[in-house]
Amino acid sequence: MFETKEEYDIMRKYAETGRWYALIYGSFIYVGTVVFASTALVPRILDVLFPLNTSRPILLPYPAYYFVDENQYFYYIFSHMLITSSICMSGVVAHDTTFFVYVEHVCGLFAVVGFRFGHVSHKRSTMEKNMLNYPGAVYHKNIVISIYAHHKALQFAEFLESTFTISFAVQLLIVTVGLSITLVQLSIQLHNLAEAMRYFLFIFAQLFHLFCLSFQGQKLIDHSIETCDKIYCSPWYTIPVKEHRLLMFVMRRSIDASVLTAGKIFVFSLRNFTAVVQSSMSYFTLLSSFDVS
């Protein structure tokens, strides 16, 4: 599918970008999990630095019951919770990083397509010697190859969207409802430093996760519609007039952006990311009013 060194370099660049996204995201998730679980150590640390007449209450990373004395076996329970949380987060990391790599791959395909349309006539000087009587065939071949690559990129984008749309719908519902409830809990626990810190970290993690999905969705949108701009900026005026119609078809198709959706309803983009945050704040305000009453 790739014919020149420049095209291989483009795909290699996007592959490296996907690799870095996966490493950064995975590191953030695991570090965030450790930090969130470590908030359970705050009462123990405070007991050492600022001791009271009695020990502070036990604070576990998440609600659980182990049928043993939690005070006596606290560090064993804490270690078990930390390990199990990290294992559970491995599933999230595997899912999301795979998605990031796929998005980078399809963005690389669109970049290659844009490169081909931008250099639609760059092979003419090397092929005219063998095709002096049919100079238009050179352009036609280049355009057809570029259209085929564009079609493959669109197919991959549609397959990617159909694969993840159901899971994204579930995740979006959980994030929207969970963010609203967590904000309510944070407002209630502001007097408790340890609990407030835990809820704040959880809110930040939810926003970061949603932002990553929205960022990748926005990146796919931008790359898919850039094909039209690449054709417009290419030396299309140097090719035969009868080949212009093929370019017009591609430009018309490129106006409709390839998107990633949640349940075929919500489109992941930076604009819609702010809309979800605003909706969560609205639900938070509503739930807070019920709590006050």
Side-chain angles (χ1 to χ4, degrees):
M1 183 177 180
F2 309 116
E3 299 181 347
T4 64
K5 180 180 180 300
E6 290 81 2
E7 294 175 359
Y8 279 103
D9 290 340
I10 291 173
M11 293 303 300
R12 187 178 296 108
K13 171 187 173 184
Y14 280 88
E16 286 293 327
T17 302
R19 176 175 175 271
W20 278 110
Y21 282 167
L23 289 175
I24 294 173
Y25 183 83
S27 300
F28 176 85
I29 292 297
Y30 286 121
V31 171
T33 301
V34 173
V35 172
F36 180 82
S38 298
T39 56
L41 300 176
V42 172
R44 296 280 173 152
I45 297 175
L46 292 178
D47 284 339
V48 175
L49 299 179
F50 307 101
L52 301 176
N53 293 332
T54 58
S55 299
R56 290 176 173 82
I58 295 295
L59 180 64
L60 297 178
Y62 52 85
Y65 189 70
Y66 282 78
F67 301 97
V68 295
D69 187 352
E70 295 180 351
N71 190 33
Q72 180 180 357
Y73 296 97
F74 172 78
Y75 292 104
Y76 294 101
I77 295 174
F78 172 79
S79 300
H80 179 265
M81 286 186 166
L82 180 60
I83 294 173
T84 54
S85 298
S86 300
I87 294 175
C88 292
M89 288 298 103
S90 297
V92 177
V93 172
H95 175 276
D96 291 345
T97 53
T98 301
F99 167 72
F100 295 160
V101 173
Y102 286 162
V103 172
E104 289 300 317
H105 179 74
V106 70
C107 288
L109 294 179
F110 280 118
V112 169
V113 170
F115 174 81
R116 288 184 176 180
F117 280 116
H119 299 77
V120 70
S121 61
H122 78 290
K123 289 186 178 181
R124 182 178 181 182
S125 60
T126 60
M127 299 182 66
E128 274 186 341
K129 296 180 180 179
N130 299 325
M131 305 182 68
L132 291 176
N133 296 327
Y134 306 98
V138 179
Y139 300 111
H140 183 79
K141 178 182 178 181
N142 290 342
I143 294 175
V144 169
I145 293 175
S146 301
I147 292 176
Y148 177 77
H150 185 238
H151 177 67
K152 286 296 183 181
L154 292 174
Q155 280 187 327
F156 191 91
E158 292 174 358
F159 177 75
L160 184 64
E161 194 276 334
S162 62
T163 301
F164 288 93
T165 183
I166 301 300
S167 64
F168 283 160
V170 176
Q171 293 182 52
L172 183 63
L173 178 62
I174 294 175
V175 168
T176 304
V177 177
L179 185 60
S180 303
I181 297 176
T182 308
L183 286 171
V184 174
Q185 293 294 329
L186 176 62
S187 63
I188 296 175
Q189 299 291 340
L190 285 177
H191 63 281
N192 190 329
L193 178 61
E195 286 289 345
M197 184 184 303
R198 284 152 55 92
Y199 286 117
F200 177 79
L201 291 174
F202 190 59
I203 291 172
F204 181 78
Q206 293 178 85
L207 292 176
F208 177 77
H209 179 246
L210 181 60
F211 174 79
C212 289
L213 299 181
S214 301
F215 177 78
Q216 292 296 324
Q218 184 67 52
K219 192 170 186 178
L220 178 59
I221 292 174
D222 294 340
H223 278 72
S224 62
I225 62 179
E226 279 180 359
T227 304
C228 182
D229 297 332
K230 294 291 181 62
I231 296 175
Y232 182 80
C233 296
S234 68
W236 55 267
Y237 45 83
T238 63
I239 66 177
V241 177
K242 65 178 182 179
E243 306 297 341
H244 291 177
R245 185 175 300 176
L246 294 176
L247 296 180
M248 292 177 63
F249 286 141
V250 179
M251 293 178 70
R252 175 59 186 87
R253 177 59 182 86
S254 300
I255 295 176
D256 300 328
S258 297
V259 297
L260 298 170
T261 66
K264 305 292 184 179
I265 300 175
F266 177 85
V267 176
F268 284 101
S269 65
L270 295 181
R271 175 181 296 181
N272 289 338
F273 167 74
T274 59
V276 172
V277 176
Q278 291 174 354
S279 299
S280 299
M281 292 300 297
S282 300
Y283 297 146
F284 159 66
T285 304
L286 180 63
L287 293 174
S288 297
S289 64
F290 289 152
D291 182 71
V292 173
S293 60

